[in-house]
Amino acid sequence: MSEPNMQDIMDVLVGMNQRFDSIDKRFDKVDESLSKADERLASLENDVLALKLDNENVIKPAIQTIAENQTLQIKKLEDMQKAVEVIPDLEMRVDNLEKSYREDHSFKAVK
């Protein structure tokens, strides 16, 4: 077997250098992709944080206010129901007073 000559060695070295350049370019692309992924993750993290803050500062207080208003409405309706429940008793008292008044006046008219 013959010894490789200088040109063969240079050709091999040039080929290796081209392969290394190609690998470096691929690593650069991978680095770019990872950087973009990091940016997207940071953006998503900011969005999640904003949603959490909105939930704590806007949504939960709004739900609390709605719940409190509903509780007040229920209380008002219960109070109205109690007031309405008294009406039959009041009607009966009015009827009794009217009857009593008529009896009293008819008794005086008879005297």
Side-chain angles (χ1 to χ4, degrees):
M1 199 156 151
S2 68
E3 280 189 29
N5 64 25
M6 194 58 138
Q7 185 60 41
D8 291 340
I9 293 173
M10 288 302 290
D11 289 343
V12 169
L13 289 176
V14 167
M16 287 176 60
N17 192 35
Q18 288 174 347
R19 287 188 197 111
F20 282 130
D21 285 344
S22 175
I23 290 171
D24 283 344
K25 287 177 185 176
R26 289 181 191 159
F27 278 134
D28 288 344
K29 288 180 182 178
V30 169
D31 284 344
E32 274 182 40
S33 295
L34 289 175
S35 293
K36 288 178 183 178
D38 284 344
E39 289 173 12
R40 288 192 300 252
L41 285 173
S43 176
L44 286 171
E45 184 179 10
N46 289 338
D47 290 346
V48 168
L49 180 60
L51 286 172
K52 284 181 180 179
L53 291 174
D54 282 349
N55 186 48
E56 288 297 320
N57 297 327
V58 177
I59 296 169
K60 280 185 179 180
I63 290 171
Q64 182 66 32
T65 300
I66 291 168
E68 288 170 359
N69 288 340
Q70 290 296 321
T71 302
L72 290 173
Q73 289 296 329
I74 290 169
K75 177 77 171 113
K76 286 179 184 178
L77 289 171
E78 287 172 346
D79 291 346
M80 290 171 66
Q81 181 64 36
K82 287 177 185 174
V84 168
E85 287 173 355
V86 176
I87 291 175
D89 186 47
L90 291 175
E91 287 175 336
M92 188 173 70
R93 287 184 183 182
V94 167
D95 288 344
N96 288 340
L97 284 172
E98 183 182 356
K99 183 178 175 184
S100 182
Y101 177 78
R102 286 185 186 170
E103 287 176 359
D104 189 39
H105 276 12
S106 42
F107 181 68
K108 287 182 183 177
V110 173
K111 282 186 175 184

